[in-house]
Every structure is written in structure tokens, then in C-alpha cells.
Amino acid sequence: MPRPRSEKARQAVMSAMRRALAEDSYAAVTIEGLATEAGVSKQTIYRWWPSKAAVLGEALLEGELPGSDAVVPTTDDLAADLRAWFAGVSAGQGDMVGIEVARALIAVTATDPELGLVLNERLAAPIREWVKTRLRQAVADGDVREDVDADVVADHFIATASYAALLGQPLSEQRVDAVVQMVMRGIGARD
């Protein structure tokens, strides 16, 4: 029977992972480095987690995901609100933590698909909710067709922002304008 986790040691490993990710790339994080930083043995880490991706996944589930707290004020201009959302998300894509988290989410999903789904849903849920709320308002205002699927629009936003994060390149104002124009053409109310 495996020994129960020491909560103090577990929290030390979680903190070590967050610090390591903030200071370096996910690729540079090692189990040995995490063990040293957390003051535990490598065997302790391997007893509780099968890989560094699993450690990262748990650390992300318990901590704040970069970009998940973005707040975009709603105006009466849908296109402006969409641009503001992209600008808010894009601002975090210039820092290494946001870039490394995006890249690490891919690694977690590749090594532990169930954990990857949970993490990706946690990141996507607030985005989907914001898009649904904003599009409901736009439908009521007559700016968006009633048959528009808000989840599809949200997925498009998530995919665009995720790809930029993976590349480590914030979306330029021109790119944001082009994406918003394309979305508006696709969802706008027909005259």
C-alpha cells in the first residue's frame, strides 16, 4: 500500500513547479530540479506523479492559469469588445510564463489526455461564458444572427490565441483586426 502524500511535501513540489516554469522553459524543468527545489527526493515525486507533465497538470489545476482572469468590459460595439478581448489575451502572450504554460498544456495533453482535457476546459470555460454572454447581448441588439453557435466562435478565439501563444508571438493589431472582421462577417445579422 503506497504511503499517503505529505501535504507539505506536495505543496512544496507544486510551488517548485510553478517557480521553475516562471523562471525557465517547461523543457528545462526536470524531476531532479523539482525535487531539489522542493526539498524532497526524486522517488517521492515519482511515487506521486508519473511524469513532470503530471506535476505541471496538478500545479495548474490548483493555481491560476494565465489569461483566465482577463476581464473585458462590455460596450455597445461588439467588434470593439472582440478586439479588446484579443488585446487582453495577447498582452499575456508576450511573457514567458504564458508562453510556457501554453506549450506545457500541449505536453500535458499528449502525455495525459484526461488531465489535458480538464485543464483545457478550465481555461476555455471562462472564455466560452464571456463569448456566450456577449453574443446573447449582440443577438438581442440585432447585431448578430440568432443561429450563431457561440461555442464555435469561442473555439475560434481560443484556437487563434493558443496558436499565437505557442509561437510566442502576441497578436498584432492588424492580425486582431483581420480576425475580428472575419468573425463579424460570419456572424453579423444579415440586412
Side-chain angles (χ1 to χ4, degrees):
M1 172 185 259
R3 282 193 274 166
R5 287 183 180 185
S6 157
E7 185 58 22
K8 182 179 175 184
R10 190 183 76 76
Q11 286 300 324
V13 173
M14 297 290 97
S15 295
M17 174 55 90
R18 288 186 197 103
R19 277 192 304 278
L21 193 62
E23 295 170 5
D24 212 340
S25 70
Y26 174 74
V29 174
T30 64
I31 295 295
E32 185 173 276
L34 290 175
T36 300
E37 176 75 20
V40 300
S41 70
K42 288 186 341 184
Q43 291 78 13
T44 296
I45 293 177
Y46 280 121
R47 186 177 324 120
W48 296 337
W49 297 279
S51 66
K52 73 177 182 177
V55 177
L56 174 67
E58 190 169 323
L60 290 174
L61 279 175
E62 290 185 5
E64 290 299 313
L65 292 175
S68 66
D69 59 350
V71 177
V72 178
T74 302
T75 69
D76 61 354
D77 183 346
L78 176 60
D81 292 352
L82 299 180
R83 283 186 197 89
W85 182 87
F86 274 115
V89 169
S90 194
Q93 292 171 345
D95 73 41
M96 282 309 295
V97 174
I99 293 166
E100 288 303 320
V101 167
R103 291 174 179 166
L105 279 170
I106 297 285
V108 170
T109 301
T111 59
D112 187 340
E114 286 182 35
L115 179 58
L117 285 173
V118 171
L119 284 168
N120 281 293
E121 183 52 35
R122 179 165 172 230
L123 182 61
I127 298 167
R128 282 199 179 90
E129 192 54 41
W130 181 82
V131 170
K132 285 179 182 180
T133 299
R134 186 59 189 92
L135 290 185
R136 274 194 298 270
Q137 178 185 336
V139 167
D141 293 344
D143 297 329
V144 171
R145 295 187 330 271
E146 290 183 17
D147 66 336
V148 169
D149 185 334
D151 284 327
V152 171
V153 175
D155 285 345
H156 182 74
F157 278 35
I158 293 164
T160 300
S162 297
Y163 183 64
L166 287 173
L167 295 177
Q169 299 174 352
L171 293 166
S172 69
E173 190 175 322
Q174 295 80 13
R175 184 74 169 164
V176 168
D177 284 342
V179 170
V180 170
Q181 286 175 15
M182 180 189 66
V183 168
M184 292 301 295
R185 277 194 305 271
I187 69 174
R190 306 277 193 249
D191 291 329

